[in-house]
Amino acid sequence: MSTAAKPRQLNRDELLRLKWLLGGVTALVSLWTVFFLDIEALGLVATVSAAILVVLVRPSLPGRVPPLAWKLAVPAIIVSLVVDAYLSPDTLPVLIRLAILLVLYRAISYRRKREDLQLLVLGLFLIVVAGVLTVSVGFAFLLLLFTACALGFLFVVNLVEATGTAAVRTPEGETAWTRLGWRSFLGRLRAVADWRMLGFAGLLFITVVVMSGLLFLVIPRFELASGFFLDRYITRKSRSGFTDTVKFGDVSELIKDDSIAMRVDLTNSSGIREEPYWRLVVLDEYGPEGFKVSARLKGQLLMSQRPTTVVRGRLNPVRRSETMGGFWTIYLEPGVSRYLPLPGSFGILRLREATQVQTTFPQERAKSDRQESIDGFGMVALRTEAMTMLAFQLDNVIMADTIPDPQFARHLRGWLQGGEDVRDQRNYYPPTMLAGPEGPAHAATMKRLLQEITAGEELSAADFARKATAWLRQRHAYALSVRLPPKDGRDDIVRWLDSNEPGFCEYFAAGFTVLARAAGYPARVIAGFHGGSLNGFENYYMVKNSNAHAWAEIYDGSAAWLRVDPTPGGGSTASQEVSAAVEQIQDSSWSARWDSLRVLWYRRIVNFDSRQQVEMIDSVKTLTADTGNVLRVRLEAWTKALKAWLAGPWDLQRLVRVAAEGAGLLVLAGLTWLLARYGWQRWWQWRRPTEYDPVRRQAGKWLARLRESEARTAESVAVRADLQRLRYGRRETWAEPRGVFQRARRARKLAGNSVKG
């Protein structure tokens, strides 16, 4: 009769319950990846997740649904697909919503092996789509979780199939396994769990992940466009922080959005003493509703569109001492804007891969002198917003309050004198920069307001900007919520200027621009971001959507545009000490820690290309060579020290000291072994108290030792019988264990002597 204990196993009903649990968890994990996509399905995902959680807790509920409802479920899903495809302008969101409904149908219905595989394929579809369209580090954790759940789900499915085929549903509409209580089921799982096997499986999974990561680092890089073909089937929505239009109404409220808009790495931030202005778009055309990008400027952007990885800003080089920040690597979040943020004039803008780029910069070498070729830095835009986080690099950046643009002065003079056809010019259209509210009522109001500002003096553009800014800040306070005066036939911005109502940055920038144009100074509104904070963990600049800002630029009449920030608290009027103090603020919150992990994920995983692969391999080679040299030097030093120690005089005192140290090390090693053995025995006794018995374990060891002896003496036969009773018999049949073990020791010794004789 075999004395080996049979391994504990789950019966078929318990395996079916475990399969139901793993299938539901796998479906939930795949559904939650949709939260990282910018589509209108979040409410649907939340509802479907709640339904799956309910049937996971109460697996008997699907059996109570009338059979007719299950038959009508698929036609209902098809009808919803047709309606959704008719109403939705995009294809991909329709497919994702269809997959969500199919996951729901498969997750809450009783399944055979075929349906289990269908559920897994549907979840894999959602995982793949989310992986293509997102770079979130949270998705990476869900991907690992989905992989582990899917592997366990497939393993249990095969176990169920190995136990035999059974009907999916009983005639009563409920399978037997659904009646298992959660407490008894979880207790059975704990009882049959082989923790060593689970630990080995976990270690194996971690090893596979690590090996996959190493393979990712060494396999050749293929430069593929972000999002593959999927960007044609989905429309992104811009975030609430940045806007490329400035509109006004009777009631306006600015909602603060603290989500990250972009991150900026600088190789040298020591020279930056003021908060940067991140210039995105020029709003040069004014209308009754507000400011927007003119049709002429949009046409210039479209005409310049071409696939490229390099955009030149300044066409001629400048002195290195004039630049700051070293290389600026900017990581722009998806959904912020298709316009790229520029902190100032730059030499070259580099993109990771060839992209359709639009720009207002001339991309050929200027033939005029150096001063003429420094075109005021304008706009760089993508054809469409990037589907994932976009990285680009700037070098030779110059941050300044003035933007050199001497060409505009020539075009302005030509237009004023009527001797030049300004329609053929490459730069901005001068009449657009001077247009404002028209009509006698507007003219009278603006004349009165300008009289208050200038007192009839003829001022330079810089002096006018200073006085107009002071007037605006004295008359209007800053607020996130604005209510305009009642309509009286005048434009919204004119009514706001003529009132004492508060406003936010767009009102101040637009108000200043309207005043400057009424006074005869070309001016325009600029939209972008201002400021930010340093991440305290990865040392990069974080700019949030709440840093979205609008300011103005006024032309000095001869050579350059001057930046003017009339919003209270902004602009060059603030002390540089305050700006420097603000610039040094570091965000060390948990959200900043998580954001640093996200940027690390993008740098080292999503944006990992062949160039970075080569750099990494070179770094590994250098590190390996340096480490080998250090180890070799240390080994040589240790060898020399050992030789010197051995060559020293060996007197009695030294011999005694060495012997004492050796004995101490042996004692320490023995104590460590005994302590480790005692701890292992106590842990095993705690882990399986019903199976662990030190007497039985010791008897088993002596049986194995005596089995190795070839001699068969009467003493060895008797002691083997006593050892077998200690190992397998009842306690009441035991002899005194200590005496049995002593006899076993003597029997083994005698057997050894007889073999030698």
Side-chain angles (χ1 to χ4, degrees):
M1 180 177 178
S2 176
T3 57
K6 293 183 178 180
R8 294 166 298 180
Q9 297 178 351
L10 295 176
N11 58 39
R12 180 174 174 78
D13 287 342
E14 291 166 343
L15 284 175
L16 288 171
R17 185 63 172 268
L18 181 58
K19 180 173 75 77
W20 180 261
L21 177 63
L22 289 175
V25 173
T26 304
L28 287 174
V29 174
S30 63
L31 286 174
W32 292 340
T33 59
V34 180
F35 285 115
F36 299 103
L37 303 178
D38 188 14
I39 64 173
E40 296 179 357
L42 304 185
L44 179 62
V45 171
T47 304
V48 170
S49 299
I52 295 176
L53 284 172
V54 170
V55 297
L56 276 183
V57 177
R58 299 290 301 275
S60 61
L61 291 178
R64 302 176 184 177
V65 177
L68 181 61
W70 292 111
K71 294 180 179 179
L72 295 178
V74 174
I77 293 176
I78 295 175
V79 171
S80 67
L81 169 65
V82 174
V83 174
D84 195 7
Y86 178 77
L87 298 177
S88 178
D90 300 315
T91 303
L92 186 60
V94 175
L95 296 178
I96 292 176
R97 288 189 284 266
L98 173 62
I100 293 172
L101 293 177
L102 292 176
V103 167
L104 172 65
Y105 176 72
R106 281 296 172 220
I108 66 174
S109 60
Y110 301 135
R111 303 180 298 271
R112 296 183 179 90
K113 183 177 181 179
R114 182 182 62 184
E115 287 82 8
D116 289 327
L117 296 180
Q118 289 175 357
L119 176 61
L120 198 59
V121 170
L122 289 170
L124 189 60
F125 168 77
L126 295 177
I127 289 287
V128 170
V129 172
V132 172
L133 298 180
T134 184
V135 297
S136 173
V137 67
F139 168 78
F141 291 118
L142 286 183
L143 178 60
L144 291 177
L145 183 58
F146 176 84
T147 304
C149 293
L151 290 176
F153 181 49
L154 285 175
F155 179 71
V156 175
V157 167
N158 290 326
L159 283 181
V160 171
E161 290 298 315
T163 60
T165 305
V168 178
R169 299 180 67 178
T170 63
E172 294 80 9
E174 181 182 69
T175 53
W177 57 268
T178 61
R179 293 193 291 268
L180 294 175
W182 275 106
R183 180 174 298 179
S184 60
F185 172 66
L186 295 178
R188 282 286 295 158
L189 283 181
R190 184 181 182 278
V192 303
D194 188 342
W195 297 106
R196 288 178 297 180
M197 183 62 68
L198 291 177
F200 176 76
L203 181 61
L204 182 62
F205 180 75
I206 294 174
T207 303
V208 170
V209 172
V210 173
M211 293 300 296
S212 301
L214 294 177
L215 289 175
F216 171 79
L217 295 176
V218 299
I219 60 177
R221 301 289 100 190
F222 296 95
E223 303 296 337
L224 298 177
S226 299
F228 297 92
F229 60 91
L230 295 180
D231 57 347
R232 301 178 232 162
Y233 302 103
I234 187 171
T235 302
R236 288 248 180 213
K237 293 185 177 180
S238 297
R239 297 187 177 180
S240 60
F242 168 78
T243 176
D244 58 359
T245 59
V246 175
K247 296 182 179 181
F248 308 101
D250 293 335
V251 179
S252 181
E253 184 175 2
L254 189 64
I255 300 175
K256 190 175 182 181
D257 182 2
D258 286 329
S259 60
I260 303 295
M262 62 180 177
R263 300 128 175 111
V264 186
D265 278 338
L266 285 78
T267 56
N268 180 18
S269 60
S270 59
I272 299 178
R273 293 291 180 266
E274 296 183 3
E275 291 184 316
Y277 282 82
W278 310 95
R279 192 173 188 266
L280 273 82
V281 61
V282 175
L283 309 176
D284 58 336
E285 182 177 334
Y286 179 78
E289 294 183 352
F291 282 90
K292 63 179 180 180
V293 181
S294 65
R296 190 180 186 88
L297 193 53
K298 289 180 178 178
Q300 182 179 342
L301 289 171
L302 289 174
M303 291 178 59
S304 66
Q305 179 175 300
R306 63 189 180 93
T308 184
T309 58
V310 176
V311 176
R312 292 185 177 275
R314 295 184 304 272
L315 297 180
N316 283 345
V318 297
R319 292 188 299 271
R320 196 68 181 177
S321 59
E322 299 178 8
T323 64
M324 60 184 63
F327 290 102
W328 298 57
T329 304
I330 300 176
Y331 301 91
L332 184 65
E333 283 286 341
V336 174
S337 173
R338 72 183 186 94
Y339 298 95
L340 304 187
L342 305 176
S345 176
F346 63 90
I348 294 178
L349 182 151
R350 294 182 176 88
L351 293 161
R352 177 172 174 263
E353 57 192 16
T355 309
Q356 292 287 344
V357 177
Q358 303 171 357
T359 178
T360 59
F361 298 100
Q363 293 301 296
E364 66 271 1
R365 178 67 60 180
K367 298 181 180 179
S368 54
D369 61 349
R370 178 179 181 275
Q371 188 69 17
E372 284 283 331
S373 66
I374 303 181
D375 201 331
F377 77 94
M379 295 187 294
V380 178
L382 307 180
R383 180 177 61 87
T384 58
E385 291 179 7
M387 300 298 295
T388 60
M389 184 186 288
L390 174 72
F392 64 95
Q393 190 178 77
L394 300 172
D395 65 355
N396 296 327
V397 174
I398 297 178
M399 297 173 57
D401 294 338
T402 61
I403 302 174
D405 190 4
Q407 296 180 10
F408 186 79
R410 185 178 69 249
H411 295 305
L412 180 62
R413 288 193 300 269
W415 176 75
L416 292 175
Q417 297 172 2
E420 181 177 347
D421 187 3
V422 296
R423 293 173 299 176
D424 296 332
Q425 70 175 36
R426 185 181 183 88
N427 241 318
Y428 307 129
Y429 190 47
T432 305
M433 303 295 181
L434 291 169
E438 299 178 353
H442 292 140
T445 302
M446 300 306 295
K447 182 177 180 181
R448 174 167 47 83
L449 298 180
L450 289 174
Q451 181 65 27
E452 296 180 11
I453 296 172
T454 64
E457 297 182 39
E458 291 189 4
L459 304 174
S460 64
D463 291 336
F464 176 83
R466 185 174 59 257
K467 290 192 174 185
T469 297
W471 181 85
L472 282 168
R473 294 179 178 179
Q474 181 180 6
R475 185 156 184 164
H476 302 277
Y478 181 84
L480 295 178
S481 181
V482 179
R483 182 179 296 275
L484 294 177
K487 291 186 177 181
D488 55 5
R490 297 178 298 174
D491 281 359
D492 296 330
I493 193 61
V494 175
R495 286 188 286 120
W496 180 80
L497 283 171
D498 199 23
S499 70
N500 293 315
E501 295 292 335
F504 44 83
C505 59
E506 292 178 345
Y507 281 83
F508 284 94
F512 174 85
T513 303
V514 169
L515 288 171
R517 292 183 176 186
Y521 305 97
R524 57 198 184 189
V525 175
I526 309 298
F529 295 91
H530 179 215
S533 60
L534 287 174
N535 183 285
F537 300 97
E538 284 292 324
N539 195 29
Y540 60 86
Y541 213 70
M542 296 190 304
V543 180
K544 300 181 179 180
N545 281 287
S546 56
N547 294 118
H549 193 53
W551 60 95
E553 290 175 355
I554 185 173
Y555 196 68
D556 66 357
S558 60
W561 295 90
L562 309 178
R563 185 177 67 218
V564 181
D565 191 351
T567 304
S572 57
T573 57
S575 65
Q576 290 189 356
E577 290 78 7
V578 174
S579 297
V582 172
E583 193 271 335
Q584 296 299 325
I585 293 177
Q586 293 190 359
D587 188 353
S588 300
S589 61
W590 280 102
S591 61
R593 187 188 301 270
W594 177 258
D595 188 74
S596 65
L597 183 61
R598 171 178 168 81
V599 171
L600 183 65
W601 164 261
Y602 184 79
R603 290 172 181 163
R604 302 308 178 198
I605 303 297
V606 178
N607 202 37
F608 189 76
D609 54 17
S610 56
R611 176 181 56 82
Q612 293 175 321
Q613 187 181 37
V614 172
E615 293 176 356
M616 183 204 67
I617 294 175
D618 292 339
S619 299
V620 171
K621 290 181 179 178
T622 303
L623 178 62
T624 304
D626 294 344
T627 303
N629 293 333
V630 170
L631 291 177
R632 185 172 59 254
V633 170
R634 290 185 178 180
L635 182 60
E636 292 176 355
W638 291 338
T639 304
K640 291 180 180 179
L642 179 61
K643 290 180 178 179
W645 182 76
L646 293 174
W650 287 87
D651 53 10
L652 180 61
Q653 182 179 2
R654 187 180 184 189
L655 289 173
V656 172
R657 186 174 66 253
V658 171
E661 291 176 352
L665 289 176
L666 290 176
V667 172
L668 181 61
L671 292 175
T672 303
W673 165 253
L674 292 176
L675 182 62
R677 183 180 178 184
Y678 176 80
W680 171 257
Q681 291 176 350
R682 298 286 77 79
W683 180 85
W684 188 261
Q685 187 176 7
W686 169 81
R687 175 68 182 84
R688 294 184 178 178
T690 59
E691 298 180 7
Y692 180 80
D693 191 319
V695 175
R696 294 186 186 276
R697 289 174 60 86
Q698 189 68 13
K701 292 180 180 179
W702 277 112
L703 282 172
R705 293 169 185 171
L706 290 177
R707 203 175 291 122
E708 297 172 357
S709 303
E710 297 180 359
R712 299 291 181 179
T713 63
E715 178 68 18
S716 65
V717 172
V719 77
R720 282 173 61 87
D722 289 338
L723 287 173
Q724 286 179 349
R725 279 193 294 271
L726 291 178
R727 176 63 176 170
Y728 305 113
R730 297 189 302 272
R731 288 182 178 272
E732 55 267 21
T733 64
W734 284 5
E736 200 278 321
R738 188 185 299 273
V740 175
F741 295 150
Q742 291 176 355
R743 288 166 52 205
R745 186 177 292 106
R746 288 196 302 269
R748 188 186 185 198
K749 185 175 181 181
L750 290 174
N753 293 334
S754 64
V755 171
K756 291 179 181 179

